[in-house]
Amino acid sequence: MTDTQDGCYDAFLDALEASDGYYYECADGHALVPPRRVCPHCGDRELERVELPETGSIVTHTTVAVPTPQFEDDAPYVTAIATFGQAKLTGILRDVDPNDVEIGQEVTVTVDTAETTGDRTITFDRHS
Amino acid sequence: MSKAFVAGTGMTAFGTFPDRRGRDMFAEAGLAALDDAGLGPEDIDEVFYGNFIGTLAENQGHQGPLAAEALGTTAPSRRVESACASSGLAIRDAVRAVRSGEADVVVAGGMERMSNMGTAGATDGLARAADDLFEIRSGVTFPAAYALMARAYFDEFGGDREDLAHIAVKNHDNALVNDHAHLQEEITVDDVLESPEIAAPLTLYDACPISDGAAALVLLSPSYAEEHGLDSGVAITGSGHGGDTMALQDRQSLATAPATRDAAEEAYDDAGISPDDVGFVEVHDCFTIAEVLALEGLGLYSYGEGIGAARRGETRRDGDLPVNLSGGLKAKGHPVGATGAAQVAAVSNLLTGIHPRADAVSEDVTVGLAHNAGGTVASAAVHVLEVTR
């Protein structure tokens, strides 16, 4: 388990797990996933905490057949990037047939553990 | 801005050499480049050496001095690490050293040894060019990252897997006469479409192989080249470097490569040329979709148009804009830290006529370009090479 070493990121995962997700927004409206001290797009340091919308939408996805050793027992699995309001998250889509995944599909976000390592990972579920 | 003359090039064969240490491969490439230039280790002012995962692959950090030592010198040397753009950026540092007047003779190159790590180990190592918190922990491998971009590209601009397959077929075909290439094997569109899936929609033949190898160049200041009669007739006249966020999720568009665009604009301005002047290119095609992103980022195609270029024949060696005459990363191979230097060496050799595919470069072509990308193009290095006489 490596999670204990990543304080701010851990806190973010805790919040996602508790359905209390958030992201940061800078004065120019750039949406940023924690941990961040500064906006990489404009250098703004006045980041405001914004509530993450409950549902997101898949913008792209892939089915990984050849994983890293950390995901050996998880493969094949679907990794997707989904937009929640202005923010984008990358996570693993749980309990789906890869052939049924489509861009635009609505998802919710939580945290689950990877099968191989038991490490926590951002996880999407299809919104029903 | 002054030029940096290319006085010599050298590379090992790219392939699977799990028993060869990196220092030996870099010695072979670097000494060949020095021999080509007619210079010796005692002439070297500085060494710039690209390498990405040597710390994992060979249990070896601090590889700069080791690289210099392999060439027979203790001249100052540094390792440049920028994932797959490591030696493209080593060359940029070398160009800047020569242009600033701080060095007259530099060796710039790179090496990677990966096959000894096995497929799982290399996949793990290469994934580290992505963002650990935001991507690797969500199961993103390197093929997966490019697959995410490929799917986003199809969604935004159109195109399909068959368009991508034509890119692989073209690059394999170009490599058939390149004895340094990892894969000298003719393939068909069906071969690509029917090869095993690695990260949908990308299959095995959309991907470059896991390669070992090294490449190096000797670059000279104009004054040194003139004084010693070493003007090879080809120089690096433009250099650019672009950057972007590490994680794909932080980018506005997942279907474009702004770092390539920024690097290209800087390199074109530096050389005083426009994309219209470019006769042929070596671009970073670690996956077939990467060639598309590169051609569009370089301004050689407008967004959405690059995907069909190979299928239409425009980027084949008899087309208007030959792309990856060496075979590209796809077929020549991709020893990560050596790739950028190998591309610049290929462009130089194509311009001087000593490359096995030089007959595809028309006599009136005087400008070639090399594009090297790091990560999912969070780094990009672009170099313009021109015939100077």
Side-chain angles (χ1 to χ4, degrees):
Chain A
M1 296 283 283
T2 53
D3 287 347
T4 50
Q5 299 166 18
D6 299 298
C8 293
Y9 187 69
D10 251 3
F12 175 63
L13 293 183
D14 289 344
L16 286 180
E17 207 166 4
S19 300
D20 193 21
Y22 59 94
Y23 64 95
Y24 296 135
E25 194 173 87
C26 74
D28 285 345
H30 296 124
L32 310 162
V33 176
R36 294 275 186 192
R37 284 175 186 268
V38 58
C39 174
H41 304 290
C42 63
D44 186 16
R45 297 189 196 190
E46 302 298 320
L47 305 182
E48 196 182 326
R49 184 168 161 150
V50 180
E51 193 181 332
L52 193 78
E54 262 182 47
T55 60
S57 169
I58 291 178
V59 292
T60 186
H61 60 92
T62 179
T63 305
V64 178
V66 182
T68 61
Q70 292 80 20
F71 286 89
E72 199 179 348
D73 299 337
D74 296 74
Y77 56 89
V78 176
T79 287
I81 299 177
T83 300
F84 291 79
Q86 296 302 308
K88 288 203 279 291
L89 292 174
T90 308
I92 291 181
L93 190 51
R94 188 163 63 173
D95 300 330
V96 288
D97 178 339
N99 296 316
D100 293 341
V101 182
E102 284 175 14
I103 289 173
Q105 219 163 46
E106 288 204 331
V107 291
T108 55
V109 61
T110 184
V111 173
D112 200 350
T113 51
E115 213 167 295
T116 315
T117 58
D119 281 346
R120 295 199 296 172
T121 183
I122 291 176
T123 306
F124 300 138
D125 287 311
R126 282 206 288 185
H127 184 56
S128 49
Chain B
M1 190 55 102
S2 69
K3 306 171 177 80
F5 281 93
V6 179
T9 63
M11 60 185 280
T12 65
F14 286 2
T16 305
F17 314 114
D19 298 332
R20 289 191 70 181
R21 286 296 290 205
R23 64 184 85 185
D24 177 55
M25 290 192 280
F26 189 67
E28 182 187 332
L31 293 173
L34 283 168
D35 289 346
D36 190 28
L39 293 169
E42 66 282 3
D43 299 310
I44 299 171
D45 291 326
E46 204 166 346
V47 177
F48 298 86
Y49 171 78
N51 177 261
F52 173 47
I53 47 177
T55 312
L56 296 173
E58 299 205 295
N59 192 33
Q60 184 65 66
H62 201 189
Q63 290 199 20
L66 200 62
E69 203 177 303
L71 305 180
T73 177
T74 52
S77 174
R78 80 189 58 151
R79 166 180 162 184
V80 178
E81 192 276 294
S82 200
C84 312
S86 293
S87 61
L89 289 168
I91 285 176
R92 178 170 163 80
D93 284 352
V95 167
R96 296 211 284 191
V98 162
R99 287 173 148 191
S100 71
E102 289 181 9
D104 284 320
V105 181
V106 298
V107 174
M111 183 286 301
E112 209 72 62
R113 181 183 182 209
M114 301 194 294
S115 68
N116 62 314
M117 303 171 83
T119 300
T123 301
D124 187 29
L126 292 169
R128 295 176 199 211
D131 187 308
D132 178 40
L133 289 184
F134 298 156
E135 296 183 314
I136 298 175
R137 283 164 177 244
S138 296
V140 175
T141 61
F142 233 68
Y146 274 91
L148 291 168
M149 291 196 284
R151 182 109 55 197
Y153 186 100
F154 293 161
D155 184 57
E156 194 167 334
F157 297 120
D160 57 28
R161 288 192 54 220
E162 198 167 329
D163 291 315
L164 295 181
H166 279 273
I167 294 168
V169 170
K170 165 182 72 70
N171 293 348
H172 272 252
D173 194 52
N174 284 339
L176 289 176
V177 299
N178 183 354
D179 290 338
H180 282 86
H182 188 160
L183 304 173
Q184 283 183 284
E185 175 195 350
E186 197 170 356
I187 60 168
T188 66
V189 167
D190 284 344
D191 289 336
V192 183
L193 296 176
E194 290 162 13
S195 63
E197 206 164 74
I198 47 172
L202 302 181
T203 62
L204 184 64
Y205 279 21
D206 283 298
C208 62
I210 292 167
S211 312
D212 308 314
L217 295 98
V218 177
L219 304 182
L220 305 179
S221 66
S223 58
Y224 188 95
E226 191 181 348
E227 197 181 320
H228 294 79
L230 294 171
D231 178 354
S232 65
V234 170
I236 296 175
T237 58
S239 175
H241 180 187
D244 206 342
T245 59
M246 275 285 277
L248 287 171
Q249 66 185 29
D250 287 316
R251 307 206 189 144
Q252 203 148 32
S253 165
L254 302 176
T256 61
T260 293
R261 180 199 62 210
D262 294 347
E265 283 176 0
E266 188 181 5
Y268 292 143
D269 284 352
D270 191 20
I273 65 158
S274 79
D276 293 341
D277 298 313
V278 176
F280 67 95
V281 291
E282 289 286 314
V283 302
H284 198 94
D285 60 325
C286 49
F287 298 93
T288 47
I289 186 66
E291 180 164 311
V292 179
L293 300 174
L295 293 176
E296 295 179 1
L298 292 168
L300 299 167
Y301 279 90
S302 49
Y303 292 116
E305 292 298 315
I307 185 112
R311 194 176 194 164
R312 293 189 298 266
E314 296 156 9
T315 52
R316 290 184 211 153
R317 63 176 176 275
D318 57 354
D320 287 344
L321 181 75
V323 175
N324 287 334
L325 286 166
S326 68
L329 285 53
K330 175 69 192 83
K332 181 183 58 183
H334 182 29
V336 174
T339 286
Q343 291 174 313
V344 176
V347 172
S348 178
N349 294 344
L350 284 159
L351 285 172
T352 55
I354 61 170
H355 191 280
R357 283 290 182 208
D359 57 358
V361 178
S362 313
E363 274 183 22
D364 56 346
V365 167
T366 58
V367 181
L369 183 143
H371 160 264
N372 187 202
T376 47
V377 209
S379 302
V382 172
H383 286 98
V384 175
L385 282 84
E386 294 187 65
V387 174
T388 53
R389 59 177 156 81

